[in-house]
Amino acid sequence: SSGINAEWPLRPGMECLIGITGKDFVVVASDNLSAHSIIAIKHDAQKQFELGDKMIMAVSGDAGDMTNYAEYIQKNLKLYEMVHGYKLTPNAAANFSRKVMAQALRSRGPYMVNLLLAGVEDDGTPSLYFMDYLAAMTKEKFAAHGYGSFFILSTLDRYYREDMTKDQAVDLLKTCIREVQSRFIVNLNAFSVKIIDKDGIKELGDIPNSGTVHKDVPKEAIHPELIARA
C-alpha cells in the first residue's frame, strides 16, 4: 500500500471558495455544505479558520485533511508569535503554508485540500493567495476554488474593479453566489462571508441569510433545519 489517498489526484470539488480584494480590504466566502460522496452531511460547516487578528484561511477538500491542515497552520503561526514576539505577515504565512503543503506532497500523507489565504497588513494593504493541493501558489486580486469557479471567474473578470468599496465588493460577491446557485447542479444553499480590513475580521453572516430550496422540491423532502432557516 502506498499510503496515498484513494481519491488522488484531487479533482475540482463540489465545494466553493471565493475571495475578492479591494483597496484596503478582502472579502472571503465559503459554502456551508459538508458532503460525503452523494450525501449531504450538514449545511452549517465552517471552512474558514482565523490565523490571526487580520488573516483568514478558507479551505476545501477532504474533510479530515481540511481540519488537520488548517489547525496545524493556525497553531504553528501562534507558536511562532509566542516564541519570537511578533506575528507573521500574510505573505510570510502564505509561504509557510505552501512549504507545509509541499513537504506533505512529497511524503506518504499529502493534504487533499485547496485553499485561499486572505489578510491585511498593518498599513492596510490587502493580500489574497490562491493555493491548490499541489502547493502551487499565486497572489491574486480575486480567486475561487471548486466547480463553482467556472461560473464565478467569468463574472469577476467582467465586473471586478480595484477601486471597489466594501459594499460594491459584497454586491459583486452576491452576484457570483446567485450565478452558482442558478447554474450549478449542486445546491450550495448558503455561504459564510467575512471581511478583513485594518480593524480586524468582521463576520457578515450567511448569504443568502436563509437556505435556498429549489422551487420544484416539496418541503417534506427538505431537512428540517433548512425549513427552519427558510
Side-chain angles (χ1 to χ4, degrees):
S1 173
S2 65
I4 299 295
N5 189 304
E7 294 194 4
W8 175 278
L10 184 67
R11 297 177 293 278
M14 298 299 179
E15 302 157 296
C16 188
L17 308 177
I18 311 169
I20 303 173
T21 64
K23 187 183 300 183
D24 57 359
F25 65 89
V26 188
V27 180
V28 179
S30 58
D31 73 276
N32 293 344
L33 176 66
S34 176
H36 177 72
S37 183
I38 62 171
I39 302 172
I41 304 298
K42 57 191 296 188
H43 293 273
D44 58 355
Q46 290 301 314
K47 302 176 183 179
Q48 298 182 28
F49 295 78
E50 295 186 7
L51 303 183
D53 296 336
K54 293 177 284 189
M55 190 159 41
I56 284 177
M57 176 184 287
V59 292
S60 65
D62 178 82
D65 284 356
M66 283 168 52
T67 302
N68 287 341
Y69 177 79
E71 289 190 351
Y72 180 84
I73 299 298
Q74 188 181 51
K75 305 309 180 187
N76 272 273
L77 293 187
K78 186 63 178 177
L79 176 62
Y80 188 95
E81 178 187 351
M82 294 170 64
V83 171
H84 297 279
Y86 62 92
K87 301 176 182 178
L88 288 180
T89 64
N91 177 266
N95 280 280
F96 171 72
S97 301
R98 183 193 174 280
K99 176 187 175 183
V100 171
M101 186 83 75
Q103 288 176 333
L105 184 67
R106 290 157 177 81
S107 73
R108 295 172 64 88
Y111 291 109
M112 297 289 98
V113 296
N114 297 313
L115 65 96
L116 298 177
L117 192 151
V120 173
E121 307 279 359
D122 290 334
D123 62 359
T125 305
S127 300
L128 176 66
Y129 294 89
F130 173 101
M131 191 187 313
D132 66 12
Y133 71 103
L134 294 175
M137 184 181 76
T138 178
K139 186 177 182 181
E140 300 290 349
K141 295 294 185 181
F142 57 81
H145 273 298
Y147 282 123
S149 66
F150 298 158
F151 310 102
I152 292 166
L153 292 178
S154 57
T155 303
L156 290 173
D157 274 330
R158 173 65 179 83
Y159 295 108
Y160 174 80
R161 301 193 327 272
E162 291 189 16
D163 61 348
M164 288 190 302
T165 65
K166 292 177 184 177
D167 288 340
Q168 290 171 333
V170 172
D171 286 342
L172 177 54
L173 175 64
K174 290 178 180 178
T175 299
C176 293
I177 291 173
R178 281 196 301 269
E179 196 67 23
V180 170
Q181 291 182 330
S182 63
R183 300 294 181 186
F184 192 29
I185 193 171
V186 175
N187 177 30
L188 302 177
N189 67 290
F191 286 70
S192 294
V193 182
K194 293 181 180 177
I195 188 164
I196 314 157
D197 59 21
K198 61 182 178 59
D199 297 320
I201 299 169
K202 180 182 178 182
E203 189 166 350
L204 300 185
D206 290 354
I207 298 179
N209 56 15
S210 61
T212 58
V213 175
H214 194 280
K215 61 182 176 60
D216 295 328
V217 178
K219 271 201 167 186
E220 293 75 17
I222 306 302
H223 193 282
E225 286 186 6
L226 283 181
I227 296 176
R229 292 170 58 187

